[in-house]
Amino acid sequence: MTTVATDVFNVHARLECLTCGRVQPPSSTWGGCVACGDQEPVVVTYDPTLALTDAAEVARTLTPTLPEHVLDLGQGATPLVAAPELAANLHLKVEGQNPTGSHKDRFQAIAVGLARALGYPGVVTSSTGNHGAAAAAFAARAGLRCLVCLHPEAPPALMSQIASYGAAIAIVPGREGELISRLVDGGWYPATSADPALAGRANPYGSEGYKRIAFEIVETLGDVPPVVAVAAASGDTLYGIWRGFQDLHERLGLRVPGLLACQPVGSAPLALALREDGRGVVSEPHSLALSVRDASSGRHASRLVRSHVALPVTVEEDQLADATRALAAHGFCVEPASALALAGLRLARERGVVASEAPAVAILTSSGLNWTRDLDVIVGAPPVHRSIEAALEAADVV
Ligand SMILES: [Zn+2]
């Protein structure tokens, strides 16, 4: 099914192939560029002649769909908290305060909203947990059916959350793309990432939701920070945040920050993409940070790395654990994958890749509340004292 719905999409929006440059109207095509034989990813761009005067107008105007089609569960407008005790000149963007506990709500508010506007009966996605929870929540909000292909190691808390929204869960390791393709061929909507090579079918619209992270940072700080660090997996988050800053740059002349794309050393396809000047595929990805344990990142994100717009930073597991503990010790309970942003920033400063005093924002993509199983691995079992005497001793009051 290919639909061009002028009452759904923004008239200024278009789909652009990053490989051949072909531009086409936004539509329900989910296989990447139709002109490129190998299904290259397409991204959303906007009429470059459109004159915009300020950041609020950029945020309001450069959205893929008409605003009434974006679903609302209260997502976005997350806090930006100064945290100099964790690193000099650091602000933390606390995305865990989104409705389902992660930044993925920004993606699905647009993606699932579009599914409803186009009249799809159901949405399908593949996920290690966060992406699926967001898809399920917004599908419930939209009154649509939802099926989430979950990673077999997805945390139980997220499975329960997904089920609570009424979504179905499939665990079919290695065959997620096949299931998604069959559902989409059967008329369902793919709420998947932007590169069709990753999940069988691609959704170029959802990552536009991440632009608001950039817009909100600039609005709160009143300026573009020199450095922004974020964990990267499929690359939609990295791409979307960059796209937000790039929109402000192209339309208003603002600078673009140095982006740190933080990945665990055992699963760092973006670093591989840079070294090998290709896409980068990790043969046996491993890390405690399940959300970013990807064999490859999307080609849209790989391009950012190869063009030196984003710098890949690889983080050792003990550094990831240290950053998770440090954040929690200062009141920020995050999913371990989120802590990659702080760990990567610290590494980049130590190595002199970015100036150590340059103001930086680390994106804490996800709350730790859904990932207590993995936090226990890092922090250890909760220290419960089962007698008054032991509790007093633990508090140094005897
Ligand atoms: Zn193309």
Side-chain angles (χ1 to χ4, degrees):
M1 180 173 74
T2 297
T3 311
V4 179
T6 52
D7 57 341
V8 172
F9 293 106
N10 179 349
V11 291
H12 305 298
R14 67 236 186 117
L15 293 177
E16 185 173 341
C17 175
L18 292 171
T19 301
C20 72
R22 183 179 187 272
V23 170
Q24 64 184 76
S27 67
S28 53
T29 48
W30 312 116
C33 177
V34 293
C36 286
D38 55 353
Q39 293 194 313
E40 289 289 326
V42 293
V43 294
V44 180
T45 57
Y46 300 85
D47 178 357
T49 66
L50 204 58
L52 302 171
T53 55
D54 58 39
E57 194 180 14
V58 170
R60 194 170 57 245
T61 309
L62 302 186
T63 59
T65 64
L66 300 181
E68 61 265 33
H69 297 307
V70 180
L71 295 165
D72 183 14
L73 279 173
Q75 72 280 358
T78 54
L80 187 66
V81 184
E85 65 278 17
L86 284 159
N89 284 322
L90 174 68
H91 279 82
L92 302 171
K93 184 70 168 158
V94 188
E95 288 293 297
Q97 293 200 18
N98 278 298
T100 72
S102 88
H103 68 304
K104 300 286 187 173
D105 290 337
R106 298 177 182 272
F107 181 107
Q108 300 295 10
I110 289 178
V112 179
L114 179 58
R116 182 178 69 171
L118 292 174
Y120 281 85
V123 303
V124 59
T125 194
S126 119
S127 174
T128 51
N130 290 335
H131 195 76
F138 282 93
R141 181 73 167 150
L144 302 182
R145 298 172 67 193
C146 181
L147 186 141
V148 179
C149 294
L150 264 187
H151 191 284
E153 295 173 47
L158 276 163
M159 290 185 71
S160 299
Q161 188 186 154
I162 290 166
S164 79
Y165 298 126
I169 294 170
I171 298 181
V172 288
R175 299 187 67 188
E176 293 89 349
E178 178 187 343
L179 177 54
I180 289 170
S181 293
R182 289 180 69 168
L183 276 161
V184 173
D185 289 344
W188 277 43
Y189 174 94
T192 48
S193 56
D195 188 337
L198 297 180
R201 299 300 170 94
N203 188 308
Y205 304 105
S207 62
E208 287 286 289
Y210 297 135
K211 295 198 305 191
R212 290 196 171 272
I213 294 174
F215 299 155
E216 289 171 16
I217 289 170
V218 174
E219 185 185 358
T220 306
L221 295 179
D223 196 4
V224 177
V227 180
V228 173
V230 64
S234 73
D236 278 3
T237 306
L238 178 71
Y239 181 85
I241 292 172
W242 169 76
R243 192 66 246 181
F245 286 115
Q246 183 69 9
D247 280 351
L248 295 172
H249 170 69
E250 290 175 0
R251 309 287 169 166
L252 304 176
L254 274 59
R255 69 181 169 191
V256 177
L259 285 174
L260 303 179
C262 307
Q263 298 190 313
V265 70
S267 175
L270 287 175
L272 215 54
L274 182 63
R275 280 203 300 275
E276 299 180 353
D277 200 27
R279 184 159 166 239
V281 178
V282 179
S283 56
E284 289 182 15
H286 58 92
S287 171
L288 181 64
L290 177 64
S291 285
V292 293
R293 198 198 295 161
D294 288 39
S296 60
S297 292
R299 285 166 284 181
H300 54 329
S302 300
R303 279 172 185 276
L304 294 184
V305 165
R306 289 204 306 278
S307 60
H308 305 289
V309 171
L311 180 75
V313 181
T314 54
V315 175
E316 301 283 350
E317 291 292 290
D318 60 342
Q319 295 165 333
L320 164 69
D322 284 347
T324 305
R325 280 191 290 263
L327 282 160
H330 289 88
F332 300 94
C333 175
V334 301
E335 176 192 355
S338 299
L340 284 166
L342 175 62
L345 173 68
R346 286 172 162 179
L347 273 176
R349 283 180 168 180
E350 277 172 29
R351 293 171 183 163
V353 176
V354 297
S356 58
E357 296 301 317
V361 173
I363 315 293
L364 302 181
T365 41
S366 162
S367 164
L369 299 183
N370 287 323
W371 296 85
T372 51
R373 176 198 64 190
D374 298 17
L375 286 175
D376 284 352
V377 175
I378 289 175
V379 179
V384 179
H385 305 289
R386 300 196 184 279
S387 74
I388 287 177
E389 289 74 20
L392 287 172
E393 190 180 340
D396 289 328
V397 176
V398 290

XYZ file of all heavy atoms in Angstrom, residues 174-262:
666
model
N 16.094 -13.923 15.893
C 16.634 -14.054 14.547
C 15.592 -13.981 13.449
O 15.934 -13.917 12.266
N 14.318 -14.008 13.818
C 13.278 -13.997 12.789
C 12.350 -12.776 12.935
O 11.250 -12.754 12.382
C 12.466 -15.293 12.851
C 13.339 -16.525 12.599
C 12.520 -17.780 12.501
N 11.659 -17.789 11.323
C 10.730 -18.721 11.084
N 10.542 -19.694 11.935
N 9.982 -18.663 9.993
N 12.808 -11.762 13.681
C 11.977 -10.579 13.906
C 11.635 -9.882 12.585
O 10.483 -9.485 12.354
C 12.696 -9.587 14.827
C 12.903 -10.071 16.253
C 14.203 -10.830 16.458
O 14.867 -11.173 15.452
O 14.554 -11.093 17.627
N 12.651 -9.748 11.716
C 12.437 -9.070 10.442
C 11.399 -9.784 9.586
O 10.567 -9.146 8.924
N 11.445 -11.107 9.609
C 10.483 -11.904 8.833
C 9.060 -11.672 9.344
O 8.123 -11.470 8.561
C 10.860 -13.380 8.962
C 9.928 -14.326 8.239
C 10.274 -15.784 8.552
O 11.393 -16.061 9.051
O 9.405 -16.649 8.312
N 8.903 -11.689 10.673
C 7.571 -11.481 11.252
C 7.059 -10.070 10.944
O 5.895 -9.881 10.574
C 7.611 -11.722 12.764
C 6.310 -11.477 13.531
C 5.146 -12.281 12.940
C 6.484 -11.816 15.013
N 7.950 -9.098 11.084
C 7.550 -7.711 10.805
C 7.133 -7.575 9.342
O 6.091 -6.982 9.018
C 8.701 -6.740 11.159
C 8.852 -6.663 12.690
C 8.452 -5.350 10.582
C 10.087 -5.930 13.154
N 7.920 -8.138 8.450
C 7.600 -8.035 7.014
C 6.243 -8.669 6.712
O 5.453 -8.118 5.934
C 8.682 -8.718 6.182
O 9.891 -8.011 6.295
N 5.973 -9.808 7.343
C 4.682 -10.472 7.068
C 3.513 -9.660 7.610
O 2.453 -9.578 6.989
C 4.705 -11.884 7.641
C 5.632 -12.788 6.824
C 5.700 -14.179 7.347
N 4.445 -14.906 7.154
C 4.332 -16.221 7.327
N 5.392 -16.924 7.675
N 3.178 -16.824 7.145
N 3.701 -9.056 8.769
C 2.628 -8.223 9.318
C 2.401 -6.979 8.454
O 1.257 -6.583 8.199
C 2.962 -7.810 10.755
C 2.589 -8.842 11.824
C 3.350 -8.590 13.116
C 1.088 -8.821 12.080
N 3.496 -6.380 8.002
C 3.353 -5.167 7.180
C 2.733 -5.531 5.825
O 1.864 -4.811 5.319
C 4.719 -4.466 7.005
C 4.613 -3.305 6.017
C 5.218 -3.961 8.360
N 3.138 -6.660 5.275
C 2.507 -7.121 4.034
C 1.015 -7.385 4.251
O 0.206 -7.270 3.330
C 3.190 -8.398 3.524
C 4.589 -8.122 2.988
O 4.906 -6.939 2.737
O 5.367 -9.083 2.837
N 0.666 -7.736 5.502
C -0.733 -7.989 5.839
C -1.499 -6.731 6.224
O -2.636 -6.828 6.677
N -0.872 -5.573 6.071
C -1.596 -4.325 6.296
C -1.264 -3.598 7.579
O -1.852 -2.570 7.888
N -0.308 -4.127 8.364
C 0.085 -3.456 9.601
C 1.138 -2.391 9.324
O 1.728 -2.329 8.256
C 0.586 -4.467 10.630
C -0.542 -5.119 11.390
C -1.715 -5.571 10.862
C -0.594 -5.367 12.794
N -2.497 -6.089 11.858
C -1.835 -5.987 13.061
C 0.282 -5.144 13.853
C -2.218 -6.368 14.356
C -0.087 -5.532 15.135
C -1.326 -6.133 15.377
N 1.393 -1.613 10.351
C 2.259 -0.437 10.243
C 3.569 -0.685 10.984
O 3.558 -1.101 12.158
C 1.530 0.753 10.864
C 2.311 2.036 10.973
C 2.219 3.013 9.974
C 3.098 2.306 12.088
C 2.901 4.216 10.089
C 3.787 3.509 12.210
C 3.687 4.454 11.206
O 4.365 5.644 11.322
N 4.735 -0.441 10.352
C 6.008 -0.676 11.038
C 6.444 0.547 11.848
O 6.806 1.579 11.279
C 6.976 -0.934 9.885
C 6.433 -0.109 8.755
C 4.937 -0.012 8.949
N 6.436 0.430 13.165
C 6.950 1.503 14.027
C 8.410 1.190 14.346
O 8.826 1.105 15.490
C 6.120 1.601 15.297
N 9.175 1.002 13.281
C 10.550 0.513 13.380
C 11.539 1.632 13.086
O 11.146 2.740 12.744
C 10.766 -0.616 12.364
O 10.252 -0.174 11.096
C 10.018 -1.882 12.760
N 12.837 1.322 13.198
C 13.856 2.338 12.963
C 13.998 2.656 11.473
O 13.360 2.038 10.631
C 15.189 1.887 13.556
O 15.546 0.645 13.012
N 14.844 3.630 11.173
C 14.837 4.242 9.841
C 15.597 3.466 8.765
O 15.458 3.767 7.579
C 15.403 5.661 9.931
N 16.397 2.491 9.167
C 17.153 1.741 8.165
C 16.468 0.393 7.927
O 16.376 -0.425 8.847
C 18.593 1.515 8.653
C 19.470 0.906 7.567
O 18.919 0.271 6.641
O 20.706 1.072 7.637
N 15.984 0.136 6.708
C 15.260 -1.112 6.457
C 16.111 -2.360 6.666
O 15.574 -3.463 6.829
C 14.812 -0.981 4.992
C 15.651 0.092 4.400
C 16.051 0.997 5.517
N 17.439 -2.200 6.677
C 18.300 -3.368 6.876
C 18.224 -3.887 8.312
O 18.590 -5.025 8.581
C 19.751 -3.015 6.535
N 17.744 -3.069 9.255
C 17.783 -3.450 10.667
C 16.586 -4.283 11.097
O 16.721 -5.199 11.904
C 17.891 -2.202 11.557
C 19.172 -1.369 11.379
C 19.155 -0.169 12.296
C 20.416 -2.212 11.628
N 15.395 -3.956 10.621
C 14.193 -4.654 11.105
C 13.286 -5.110 9.972
O 12.121 -5.391 10.183
C 13.420 -3.758 12.071
N 13.815 -5.172 8.773
C 13.011 -5.653 7.652
C 12.237 -4.534 6.980
O 12.200 -4.441 5.758
N 11.605 -3.682 7.772
C 10.887 -2.528 7.238
C 11.310 -1.294 8.029
O 11.675 -1.391 9.191
C 9.375 -2.718 7.330
C 8.871 -3.924 6.546
C 9.207 -3.803 5.069
N 8.932 -5.049 4.358
C 7.784 -5.298 3.737
N 6.836 -4.392 3.734
N 7.610 -6.452 3.128
N 11.232 -0.135 7.372
C 11.767 1.077 7.992
C 10.698 2.134 8.176
O 9.769 2.247 7.369
C 12.892 1.641 7.122
N 10.847 2.907 9.244
C 9.968 4.050 9.474
C 10.827 5.315 9.554
O 11.535 5.522 10.537
C 9.198 3.861 10.784
C 8.128 4.924 10.962
O 8.402 6.121 10.860
N 6.909 4.492 11.214
N 10.783 6.153 8.526
C 11.649 7.331 8.533
C 11.112 8.491 9.369
O 11.817 9.479 9.563
C 11.693 7.732 7.049
C 10.387 7.260 6.494
C 10.014 6.021 7.276
N 9.893 8.388 9.878
C 9.231 9.546 10.492
C 9.487 9.673 11.993
O 9.602 10.774 12.522
C 7.723 9.478 10.234
C 7.397 9.388 8.764
C 6.978 8.184 8.193
C 7.563 10.487 7.933
C 6.712 8.089 6.833
C 7.299 10.409 6.579
C 6.866 9.195 6.036
O 6.621 9.107 4.690
N 9.536 8.535 12.688
C 9.605 8.566 14.144
C 10.811 9.325 14.682
O 10.702 10.050 15.677
N 11.977 9.154 14.039
C 13.184 9.782 14.590
C 13.106 11.309 14.549
O 13.873 11.984 15.249
C 14.441 9.294 13.853
O 14.386 9.643 12.497
N 12.176 11.847 13.764
C 11.958 13.297 13.795
C 11.535 13.768 15.185
O 11.709 14.944 15.536
C 10.889 13.679 12.767
C 11.360 13.610 11.322
C 12.284 14.774 10.979
O 11.798 15.904 10.880
O 13.494 14.543 10.832
N 10.960 12.848 15.959
C 10.553 13.196 17.321
C 11.732 13.531 18.219
O 11.585 14.276 19.196
N 12.904 12.957 17.916
C 14.085 13.216 18.745
C 14.646 14.623 18.543
O 15.470 15.079 19.333
C 15.176 12.182 18.453
C 14.773 10.758 18.786
C 15.039 9.713 17.906
C 14.123 10.458 19.984
C 14.677 8.415 18.207
C 13.753 9.163 20.286
C 14.033 8.141 19.403
O 13.664 6.855 19.707
N 14.232 15.285 17.476
C 14.713 16.649 17.258
C 14.362 17.546 18.436
O 15.091 18.485 18.755
C 14.101 17.238 15.978
C 14.532 16.520 14.711
C 14.294 17.325 13.457
C 12.886 17.792 13.261
N 12.670 18.341 11.898
N 13.250 17.225 19.082
C 12.809 18.089 20.190
C 13.781 18.065 21.360
O 13.820 19.001 22.162
C 11.400 17.704 20.638
C 10.378 18.063 19.597
C 8.949 18.080 20.086
N 8.096 18.633 19.056
C 7.843 19.929 18.913
N 8.341 20.798 19.768
N 7.084 20.359 17.931
N 14.555 16.988 21.473
C 15.595 16.973 22.516
C 16.562 18.131 22.262
O 16.914 18.880 23.170
C 16.334 15.613 22.524
C 15.371 14.493 22.949
C 17.551 15.665 23.434
C 15.960 13.090 22.855
N 16.968 18.295 21.002
C 17.870 19.406 20.647
C 17.179 20.750 20.872
O 17.765 21.667 21.461
C 18.315 19.268 19.185
N 15.941 20.864 20.406
C 15.230 22.140 20.550
C 15.085 22.528 22.024
O 15.267 23.692 22.397
C 13.841 22.054 19.903
C 13.860 21.770 18.419
C 12.774 21.166 17.805
C 14.959 22.099 17.640
C 12.777 20.902 16.443
C 14.976 21.829 16.266
C 13.886 21.232 15.676
N 14.740 21.538 22.859
C 14.529 21.836 24.283
C 15.844 22.236 24.962
O 15.861 23.128 25.827
C 13.925 20.612 24.987
C 12.476 20.345 24.583
C 11.955 19.002 25.105
O 12.578 18.419 26.012
O 10.924 18.532 24.585
N 16.950 21.578 24.583
C 18.250 21.929 25.168
C 18.586 23.384 24.854
O 18.983 24.161 25.730
C 19.348 20.975 24.643
C 19.177 19.580 25.247
C 20.730 21.525 24.962
C 20.064 18.521 24.611
N 18.423 23.766 23.603
C 18.758 25.134 23.191
C 17.816 26.137 23.859
O 18.249 27.208 24.306
C 18.699 25.256 21.653
C 18.897 26.704 21.218
C 19.763 24.369 21.018
N 16.556 25.768 23.956
C 15.597 26.682 24.585
C 15.936 26.895 26.066
O 15.908 28.021 26.567
C 14.175 26.114 24.451
C 13.106 27.063 24.976
C 11.717 26.442 24.945
O 11.572 25.301 24.481
O 10.780 27.120 25.402
N 16.299 25.809 26.753
C 16.577 25.911 28.194
C 17.884 26.632 28.469
O 17.964 27.489 29.350
C 16.621 24.501 28.832
O 15.407 23.826 28.517
C 16.761 24.594 30.344
N 18.935 26.285 27.711
C 20.246 26.895 27.954
C 20.353 28.288 27.331
O 21.215 29.072 27.696
C 21.363 26.006 27.387
C 21.559 24.631 28.036
C 22.688 23.878 27.342
C 21.856 24.779 29.533
N 19.503 28.556 26.345
C 19.607 29.819 25.622
C 20.765 29.836 24.645
O 21.143 30.880 24.124
N 21.339 28.661 24.409
C 22.508 28.571 23.528
C 22.689 27.105 23.129
O 22.106 26.210 23.749
C 23.757 29.065 24.267
C 24.908 29.365 23.313
O 24.710 29.265 22.085
O 26.003 29.670 23.807
N 23.513 26.877 22.111
C 23.844 25.508 21.722
C 25.062 25.070 22.530
O 26.095 25.734 22.496
C 24.166 25.418 20.212
C 24.581 23.999 19.845
C 22.981 25.875 19.384
N 24.985 23.962 23.295
C 26.167 23.519 24.036
C 27.236 22.999 23.069
O 26.900 22.435 22.021
C 25.627 22.379 24.907
C 24.432 21.871 24.168
C 23.839 23.052 23.444
N 28.518 23.181 23.396
C 29.575 22.709 22.484
C 29.594 21.188 22.322
O 29.996 20.688 21.275
C 30.861 23.184 23.158
C 30.446 24.308 24.048
C 29.056 23.972 24.513
N 29.158 20.455 23.365
C 29.253 18.988 23.329
C 27.935 18.370 23.788
O 27.366 18.797 24.801
C 30.393 18.484 24.252
C 30.483 16.954 24.202
C 31.723 19.114 23.855
N 27.475 17.371 23.046
C 26.306 16.587 23.454
C 26.678 15.110 23.343
O 27.146 14.663 22.289
C 25.069 16.891 22.577
C 23.923 15.936 22.920
C 24.617 18.340 22.773
N 26.485 14.371 24.429
C 26.838 12.940 24.454
C 25.572 12.106 24.590
O 24.687 12.429 25.377
C 27.779 12.644 25.628
N 25.504 11.029 23.811
C 24.327 10.163 23.864
C 24.717 8.735 23.483
O 25.612 8.532 22.646
C 23.205 10.698 22.935
C 23.623 10.666 21.472
C 21.892 9.937 23.152
N 24.067 7.770 24.124
C 24.267 6.373 23.746
C 23.641 6.142 22.372
O 22.604 6.722 22.047
C 23.627 5.448 24.777
N 24.271 5.277 21.578
C 23.778 5.045 20.218
C 23.613 3.558 19.959
O 24.470 2.751 20.331
C 24.749 5.638 19.196
N 22.497 3.202 19.327
C 22.263 1.805 18.944
C 21.914 1.767 17.456
O 22.781 1.842 16.602
C 21.166 1.194 19.795
N 20.609 1.718 17.121
C 20.223 1.718 15.710
C 20.616 3.036 15.041
O 20.772 3.098 13.824
C 18.710 1.521 15.575
O 18.013 2.695 15.958
N 20.775 4.069 15.833
C 21.220 5.354 15.288
C 20.112 6.368 15.120
O 20.382 7.526 14.803
N 18.869 5.964 15.343
C 17.766 6.911 15.184
C 17.863 8.071 16.174
O 17.588 9.224 15.821
C 16.422 6.205 15.381
C 15.956 5.481 14.129
O 16.703 5.479 13.134
O 14.849 4.913 14.148
N 18.222 7.762 17.419
C 18.326 8.818 18.426
C 19.435 9.789 18.064
O 19.241 11.016 18.068
C 18.604 8.204 19.816
O 17.608 7.218 20.090
C 18.579 9.270 20.892
N 20.599 9.238 17.741
C 21.738 10.074 17.353
C 21.372 10.935 16.147
O 21.600 12.152 16.129
C 22.934 9.178 17.013
C 24.196 9.902 16.542
C 24.839 10.647 17.707
C 25.190 8.903 15.931
N 20.780 10.293 15.143
C 20.433 11.019 13.923
C 19.405 12.112 14.221
O 19.521 13.247 13.759
C 19.886 10.064 12.853
C 19.536 10.804 11.587
C 20.516 11.062 10.625
C 18.252 11.290 11.371
C 20.215 11.787 9.492
C 17.946 12.020 10.235
C 18.927 12.259 9.304
O 18.625 12.994 8.186
N 18.385 11.762 15.006
C 17.313 12.716 15.274
C 17.801 13.931 16.048
O 17.410 15.062 15.758
N 18.647 13.689 17.057
C 19.178 14.819 17.827
C 20.041 15.695 16.929
O 19.932 16.925 16.947
C 19.981 14.299 19.048
C 19.025 13.640 20.050
C 20.737 15.438 19.711
C 19.725 12.926 21.197
N 20.904 15.062 16.121
C 21.712 15.844 15.183
C 20.813 16.643 14.238
O 21.054 17.825 13.975
C 22.612 14.920 14.352
C 23.241 15.659 13.204
C 24.292 16.531 13.262
C 22.808 15.641 11.838
N 24.550 17.042 12.017
C 23.651 16.517 11.125
C 21.799 14.965 11.154
C 23.515 16.735 9.746
C 21.658 15.178 9.791
C 22.514 16.053 9.098
N 19.759 15.992 13.756
C 18.865 16.647 12.787
C 18.235 17.904 13.401
O 18.033 18.905 12.723
C 17.790 15.651 12.365
C 16.942 16.029 11.186
C 17.724 16.096 9.892
N 17.764 17.456 9.405
C 18.361 17.836 8.270
N 18.981 16.957 7.510
N 18.368 19.079 7.906
N 17.917 17.834 14.701
C 17.355 19.004 15.373
C 18.341 20.158 15.392
O 17.992 21.305 15.053
N 19.575 19.865 15.780
C 20.595 20.924 15.782
C 20.873 21.406 14.358
O 21.096 22.597 14.116
C 21.888 20.414 16.426
C 21.812 20.278 17.925
C 21.911 19.038 18.528
C 21.629 21.397 18.731
C 21.844 18.916 19.914
C 21.560 21.290 20.111
C 21.667 20.038 20.709
N 20.856 20.466 13.415
C 21.126 20.829 12.021
C 20.010 21.720 11.471
O 20.277 22.657 10.712
C 21.258 19.536 11.192
C 21.614 19.742 9.724
C 23.029 20.266 9.506
O 23.833 20.325 10.438
N 23.332 20.676 8.286
N 18.771 21.447 11.858
C 17.658 22.325 11.450
C 17.905 23.755 11.925
O 17.716 24.725 11.176
C 16.333 21.827 12.054
C 15.735 20.662 11.282
O 16.238 20.331 10.188
O 14.750 20.070 11.782
N 18.324 23.874 13.198
C 18.582 25.215 13.755
C 19.761 25.872 13.050
O 19.794 27.094 12.861
C 18.855 25.118 15.259
C 17.673 24.643 16.116
C 18.111 24.387 17.553
C 16.527 25.661 16.083
N 20.722 25.048 12.653
C 21.887 25.575 11.933
C 21.491 26.066 10.532
O 21.824 27.186 10.128
C 22.943 24.475 11.828
C 24.085 24.814 10.919
N 25.014 25.798 11.219
C 24.443 24.324 9.694
C 25.889 25.887 10.228
N 25.565 25.013 9.297
N 20.761 25.225 9.820
C 20.414 25.560 8.430
C 19.439 26.734 8.341
O 19.524 27.551 7.422
C 19.806 24.336 7.731
C 20.824 23.232 7.478
C 20.175 21.966 6.898
O 18.939 21.971 6.697
O 20.906 20.991 6.677
N 18.511 26.798 9.288
C 17.461 27.820 9.191
C 17.839 29.110 9.893
O 17.387 30.181 9.504
C 16.148 27.290 9.784
C 15.723 25.938 9.235
C 15.219 26.028 7.814
N 15.061 24.675 7.246
C 14.400 24.428 6.128
N 13.838 25.416 5.437
N 14.321 23.203 5.671
N 18.645 29.006 10.980
C 18.900 30.194 11.805
C 20.386 30.501 11.971
O 20.746 31.490 12.607
C 18.273 30.007 13.199
C 16.775 29.684 13.235
C 16.334 29.423 14.666
C 15.953 30.803 12.617
N 21.250 29.653 11.444
C 22.682 29.907 11.522
C 23.321 29.524 12.845
O 24.466 29.898 13.114
N 22.610 28.799 13.709
C 23.212 28.361 14.977
C 24.287 27.310 14.699
O 24.224 26.599 13.703
C 22.142 27.773 15.904
C 21.369 28.762 16.794
C 20.636 29.809 15.975
C 20.388 28.019 17.689
N 25.255 27.204 15.622
C 26.296 26.179 15.444
C 25.720 24.797 15.760
O 24.693 24.674 16.441
C 27.490 26.475 16.346
C 27.155 26.288 17.809
C 28.335 26.598 18.715
N 27.884 26.658 20.098
C 28.617 27.115 21.090
N 29.826 27.567 20.861
N 28.144 27.129 22.329
N 26.427 23.774 15.279
C 26.053 22.395 15.597
C 27.051 21.879 16.636
O 28.257 22.050 16.467
C 26.081 21.506 14.333
C 25.769 20.057 14.685
C 25.099 22.030 13.302
N 26.581 21.277 17.734
C 27.524 20.802 18.755
C 28.328 19.601 18.268
O 27.942 18.929 17.311
C 26.603 20.400 19.917
C 25.299 20.099 19.284
C 25.181 20.985 18.078
N 29.446 19.348 18.951
C 30.144 18.093 18.740
C 29.329 16.983 19.378
O 28.993 17.050 20.550
N 28.984 15.976 18.590
C 28.154 14.880 19.098
C 29.031 13.679 19.431
O 29.831 13.242 18.591
C 27.117 14.468 18.047
C 25.920 15.408 17.841
C 25.085 14.922 16.667
C 25.065 15.474 19.094
N 28.889 13.165 20.634
C 29.588 11.946 21.023
C 28.601 10.789 20.956
O 27.593 10.782 21.664
C 30.146 12.079 22.442
C 31.101 13.251 22.691
C 31.540 13.270 24.155
C 32.318 13.170 21.764
N 28.884 9.826 20.071
C 28.035 8.643 19.907
C 28.637 7.516 20.737
O 29.630 6.904 20.343
C 27.965 8.247 18.435
N 28.062 7.270 21.905
C 28.690 6.396 22.896
C 28.155 4.970 22.783
O 26.946 4.745 22.844
C 28.432 6.954 24.295
S 28.933 8.699 24.448
